[in-house]
Amino acid sequence: MTHQAIPGPASVWNNIEGISFGGDYNPEQWPVSVRLEDLELMQEAGVNFLSVGIFSWALLEPAEGQYDFGWLDDVMDNLHGIGVKVALAAATAAPPAWLVRKHPEILPVRADGTTLGPGSRRHYTPSSAVYRKYAAGITRVLAERYKDHPALALWHVDNELGCHVSEFYGEEDAAAFRLWLERRYGTIGALNAAWGTAFWSQHYGSFDEILPPGVAPSTLNPGQQLDFQRFNSWALMDYYRGLVAVLREVTPAVPCTTNLMASSATKSMDYFSWAKDLDVIANDHYLVAADPERHIELAFSADLTRGIAGGDPWILMEHSTSAVNWQPRNQPKMPGEMLRNSLAHVARGADAVMFFQWRQSFAGSEKFHSAMVPHGGRDTRVWREVVDLGAALQLLAPVRGSRVESRAAIVFDYEAWWASEIDSKPSIDVRYLDLLRAFHRSLFLRGVSVDMVHPSASLDGYDLVLVCTLYSVADEAAANIAAAASGGATVLVSYFSGITDEKDHVRLGGYPGAFRELLGVRVEEFHPLLAGSQLKLSDGSVSSIWSEHVHLDGAEAIQAFTGYPLEGVPSLTRRAVGTGAAWYLATFPDRDGIESLVDRLLEESGVSPVAGADAGVELTRRRSADGGSFLFAINHTRAAATVRASGTDMLSGERFTGTVEAGSVAVIAED
Ligand code: GLA
């Protein structure tokens, strides 16, 4: 099960042109006449890239060892005929009925012992040896059949790994978990030490005694829970690697990826650890219709995706043209919203814009999910907007390959997210993303670009680094963050950071252990607030969720708590470090408080907005290696807005007038 690094293939960007445009294509749901009409419509819309066959295993192999490739051969040939490149799926995201009947042991099992049955999708566990064998089998057959097909540009391996089910509690999973633990710890003594099993008589005599953290009378061992989370993320990726190994053997030059779900809603997979195994990062993103700030959540997801991609261009593998079918109330996108969404992803580093799905299904549970070709056909707003988007993306071809420019970074770590939200913490109101997203929102609203960076990745080149609720942190990562401050950056660390190491062992001697020296503070006790209560701070601002007993130990107090029992205790501190500074935030400020703090941090760090603009305009700049500078200005308001920039609006082809119309977008090739 160990991963052999296999020489990488050519870049997908060699295989596709411009800003690619398309979506999931499920022709198996349609008669040939419709598939032929699809070809005309694809040309009308300017589609040049499609993911094909994601859920087609049962039709490709209707009985074990019996294949029906006729329809897919035609589809591949026809798509090639109109110049469309294909991200061909390995078709493994939904096992066929014959396989489940023969091998029900492939089915996933929940913590409570319930086996999840077929009739939907993703009904397999990644640790099933049988499933891995069959999945590798269909993958090999597909690879052999299409290895020389001129339309094949990318392998789309499985689909949204970890979607619907991301924790697996069956017997085979338990065995794989034990093996994973044995490899991680070597000896049972090391595991006992790491999990702190002296507590509650949890000591293990051998690896054989260990089970996944299932349903138990009370709170479970946090080390076991954290490792189980790590294991599940690893198991999904290990399954992916097994399929990629097959593809590399047969098609060494064809790149491979799988579509991630990076957003504020996906916690279970450590995508930073997955990134090195994907030849190109691909992400799916869906708006939550009920969120009035859904465009800010989109920006967060796109920035996170770019972070996972290490700043390289990425593929937006799926988003929706309009409504989805899986929220309680599926409001359509407003006129122009799809264009704004699509170009917001491009603004934040996507070089391909794709949708779920090409043609809206007439049957099945996703029939009310929007698509590029709606039920109503061509005479619809959605279709007209799709055609307009295709035309817009063609005009943006010069943007391809350019990179987003940011001088601010937010440190992001899935492991800290997991560890900080395991039960029995000082407050259930401390949620990993809340403060992080409050800062991201503030920077978004100001037009300040920010990168999401893993704590152990290079922080060179960032003048402002925000470290929010980084509860658990390894020594090297803490040193990396400290080095950013001494090297000249303004670094802000928040409460509930640096508390534990990667084993989730508390760093003793006072909080925030890993950052105590950097920040010049020592916290002796946490004072989380009761539900709904607020605190007044010395400058009149208001905060909530958290307070604590901070002592200065080299830092200066900038602001303090008021009232009993923390009157006068610092709530915000600053320490000059090397050529930079380290700030400590000991509470969760309200929106005004965040704004005034961000003002100070931007002023000190010299980080400024991408351009000047009226409120409500989203701003991002991408720069290309040959000096091209592309300013994306997305007007999310219903009034015309001013943007101070000069150059050519690539979408109109005219000189940028300084005004972006209500709800529209300008992409300015700057002078
Ligand atoms: C996910 C899946 C798609 C489809 C969409 C619907 O992204 O990958 O197959 O189910 O959700 O939003």
Side-chain angles (χ1 to χ4, degrees), residues 360-397:
Q360 188 169 11
S361 303
F362 66 88
S365 63
E366 291 185 320
K367 58 184 172 295
F368 294 115
H369 193 296
S370 62
M372 297 170 82
V373 185
H375 287 155
R378 290 177 75 249
D379 190 12
T380 52
R381 172 180 72 91
V382 166
W383 175 251
R384 282 187 285 276
E385 290 195 12
V386 163
V387 172
D388 289 350
L389 174 61
L393 293 176
Q394 285 182 15
L395 297 169
L396 297 184

Side-chain angles (χ1 to χ4, degrees), residues 426-427 511 523-530 533 535 544-550 561 563-567 569 586-587:
S427 169
Y511 316 118
V523 175
E524 77 168 78
E525 193 174 23
F526 302 140
H527 288 244
L529 273 59
L530 295 179
S533 47
L535 283 176
S544 63
I545 296 180
W546 193 263
S547 63
E548 56 187 17
H549 196 160
V550 179
F561 295 111
Y564 182 76
L566 295 179
E567 175 71 38
V569 168
T587 189

Side-chain angles (χ1 to χ4, degrees), residues 40-323:
E40 282 167 32
L41 294 180
M42 285 168 185
Q43 291 176 87
E44 184 178 337
V47 163
N48 59 3
F49 195 33
L50 293 167
S51 297
V52 178
I54 296 173
F55 297 102
S56 61
W57 189 352
L59 292 178
L60 291 173
E61 190 179 1
E64 186 169 359
Q66 289 174 28
Y67 300 100
D68 175 11
F69 284 111
W71 65 271
L72 186 54
D73 291 351
D74 288 348
V75 165
M76 292 291 283
D77 292 349
N78 289 341
L79 292 178
H80 176 61
I82 60 164
V84 169
K85 293 291 181 184
V86 172
L88 188 60
T92 53
W98 57 259
L99 176 53
V100 178
R101 186 156 170 237
K102 185 170 175 192
H103 290 291
E105 70 273 23
I106 68 170
L107 295 170
V109 177
R110 279 209 297 237
D112 65 0
T114 311
T115 297
L116 301 175
S120 173
R121 64 175 176 183
R122 303 213 52 76
H123 43 287
Y124 68 83
T125 171
S127 296
S128 161
V130 165
Y131 191 66
R132 289 168 77 119
K133 188 185 92 185
Y134 277 90
I138 183 69
T139 298
R140 184 177 295 279
V141 170
L142 273 159
E144 289 289 356
R145 185 156 193 104
Y146 297 105
K147 63 182 176 197
D148 297 320
H149 200 287
L152 176 64
L154 177 68
W155 285 110
H156 180 298
V157 178
D158 209 280
N159 190 65
E160 292 192 340
L161 294 166
C163 182
H164 312 311
V165 206
S166 58
E167 290 178 357
F168 304 89
Y169 294 84
E171 275 177 30
E172 238 179 320
D173 307 306
F177 181 43
R178 286 189 282 270
L179 208 62
W180 182 88
L181 290 168
E182 220 169 323
R183 279 201 299 264
R184 182 177 176 87
Y185 292 109
T187 66
I188 196 67
L191 176 138
N192 279 312
W195 288 7
T197 55
F199 177 81
W200 279 0
S201 183
Q202 289 170 352
H203 180 87
Y204 292 98
S206 75
F207 284 98
D208 301 340
E209 295 168 359
I210 297 171
L211 295 170
V215 180
S218 181
T219 46
L220 291 152
N221 182 300
Q224 184 184 10
Q225 291 185 73
L226 184 57
D227 273 342
F228 191 59
Q229 185 75 69
R230 289 176 174 136
F231 160 74
N232 281 299
S233 174
W234 172 88
L236 287 160
M237 190 25 54
D238 195 55
Y239 160 75
Y240 167 87
R241 286 184 200 127
L243 299 183
V244 170
V246 172
L247 294 168
R248 287 278 200 271
E249 253 182 65
V250 186
T251 56
V254 181
C256 301
T257 193
T258 186
N259 43 346
L260 310 181
M261 302 174 284
S263 78
S264 61
T266 302
K267 174 181 170 187
S268 300
M269 280 71 67
D270 180 355
Y271 289 146
F272 280 96
S273 77
W274 285 21
K276 59 183 179 310
D277 287 297
L278 274 50
D279 296 323
V280 59
I281 297 297
N283 200 51
D284 298 348
H285 184 262
Y286 291 93
L287 297 177
V288 172
D291 178 0
E293 294 195 337
R294 51 190 181 268
H295 59 297
I296 305 183
E297 198 284 329
L298 182 157
F300 169 79
S301 154
D303 289 342
L304 177 56
T305 306
R306 185 177 72 256
I308 293 163
D312 290 339
W314 48 278
I315 294 174
L316 175 64
M317 192 65 99
E318 293 178 22
H319 68 318
S320 70
T321 56
S322 192

Side-chain angles (χ1 to χ4, degrees), residues 422-482:
I422 290 171
D423 56 65
S424 310
K425 292 299 192 309
S427 169
I428 59 162
D429 296 326
V430 177
R431 310 291 303 171
Y432 177 69
L433 289 185
D434 288 354
L435 185 65
L436 195 152
R437 288 198 57 204
F439 279 110
H440 182 268
R441 175 183 184 276
S442 173
L443 296 172
F444 173 96
L445 293 174
R446 292 158 186 264
V448 174
S449 270
V450 58
D451 288 346
M452 304 283 180
V453 182
H454 188 267
S456 57
S458 168
L459 292 166
D460 290 354
Y462 294 112
D463 297 311
L464 175 62
V465 177
L466 302 173
V467 180
C468 304
T469 44
L470 192 69
Y471 161 75
S472 61
V473 67
D475 290 348
E476 312 76 66
N480 185 42
I481 290 165

